[in-house]
């Protein structure tokens, strides 16, 4: 009613202010509508459950949500986290071409890559011990290439390119990375792919699972932790959530000799999963 009075009897200044306020209200409605539409699209594409999980991304109790499928009734360690749940047959086949650089690598080239730090420490060390058998060598090379790509992908924050890992990365692998290891977020009027803390934890879990397959189900967690640029407590939380037995070992791979490394072993029977004891207790308010 006040607006109608201003419209009919107000001064020019009052009418101008009313017009400006109405224009701003329309603009605000448009933004709200756009945000709501984008949010609806994200919910449709990602699912309410996944979005809720991302909200709780730093809660250690939710780490298990992001682990590879775990077969608790497995009769062998290799069946706990099955290889085909890490890489499908089509994805594995697509790795044949890019992994050829590892298959044919020479000791001199490994030394040069080590100096250049062109790959993560885990991969550079494993390249020194490629099997002589052609089939086994090709298999390990494909696994190492994908593991290296996963770790490098985890360094990104907001994904702005359609093929963030470059043209040498097969399309099916790029699609896998974007679909399985990023979260959708709305920012500055557009939907973006983001590597959230929960997605970093998920990448870490898949890296550990793949490293276990490469290393006969025992792997140096400290090397992977350094490659992933994680705090030790975070790495240990993920390893324990994956039901690994964690033990100490002296430093490897040219790191400080006195640095205690943590080894993760996947063996049967699996340890009983315990509730995390790292939750911070709230102080009582008087």
């Amino acid at each position: 009613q006040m607006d109608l009075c201003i419209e009919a009897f107000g001064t020019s200044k009052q009418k101008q202010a009313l017009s400006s306020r109405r224009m701003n209200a329309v603009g605000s409605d448009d933004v709200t509508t756009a945000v709501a539409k984008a949010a609806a699209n994200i919910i449709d594409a990602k699912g309410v459950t996944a979005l809720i999980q991302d909200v709780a991304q730093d809660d250690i109790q939710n780490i298990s949500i992001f682990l590879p499928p775990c077969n608790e009734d497995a009769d062998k360690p290799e069946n706990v986290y099955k290889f085909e749940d890490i890489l499908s047959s089509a994805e594995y086949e697509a790795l044949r071409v890019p992994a050829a650089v590892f298959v044919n690598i020479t000791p001199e080239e490994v030394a040069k890559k080590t100096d250049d730090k062109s790959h993560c420490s885990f991969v550079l060390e494993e390249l020194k011990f490629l099997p002589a058998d052609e089939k086994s060598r090709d298999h390990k090379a494909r696994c190492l290439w994908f593991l290296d790509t996963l770790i490098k992908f985890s360094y990104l924050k907001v994904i702005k390119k359609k093929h963030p890992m470059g043209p040498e990365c097969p399309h099916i692998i790029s699609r896998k990375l974007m679909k399985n290891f990023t979260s959708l977020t709305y920012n500055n009027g557009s939907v973006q792919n983001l590597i959230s803390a929960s997605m970093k934890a998920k990448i870490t879990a898949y890296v550990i699972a793949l490293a276990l397959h490469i290393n006969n189900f025992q792997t140096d967690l400290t090397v992977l932790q350094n490659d992933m640029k994680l705090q030790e407590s975070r790495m240990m939380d993920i390893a324990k959530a994956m039901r690994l037995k964690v033990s100490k070992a002296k430093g490897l791979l040219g790191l400080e000799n006195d640095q205690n490394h943590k080894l993760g072993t996947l063996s049967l029977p699996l340890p009983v999963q315990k509730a995390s004891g790292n939750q911070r207790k709230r102080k009582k308010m008087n």
Side-chain angles (χ1 to χ4, degrees), residues 10-26:
T11 63
S12 297
K13 190 173 182 179
Q14 288 172 327
K15 290 179 180 179
Q16 188 176 4
L18 174 62
S19 177
S20 177
R21 180 159 53 80
R22 284 177 171 171
M23 289 294 292
N24 287 338
V26 171

Side-chain angles (χ1 to χ4, degrees), residues 90-104:
E91 291 160 354
Y92 182 77
E93 177 56 31
L95 292 171
R96 180 176 57 84
V97 174
V101 294
F102 286 172
V103 173
N104 303 315

Side-chain angles (χ1 to χ4, degrees), residues 127 133 150 187 226:
L127 285 173
D133 174 70
L150 263 181
N187 186 40
N226 291 336

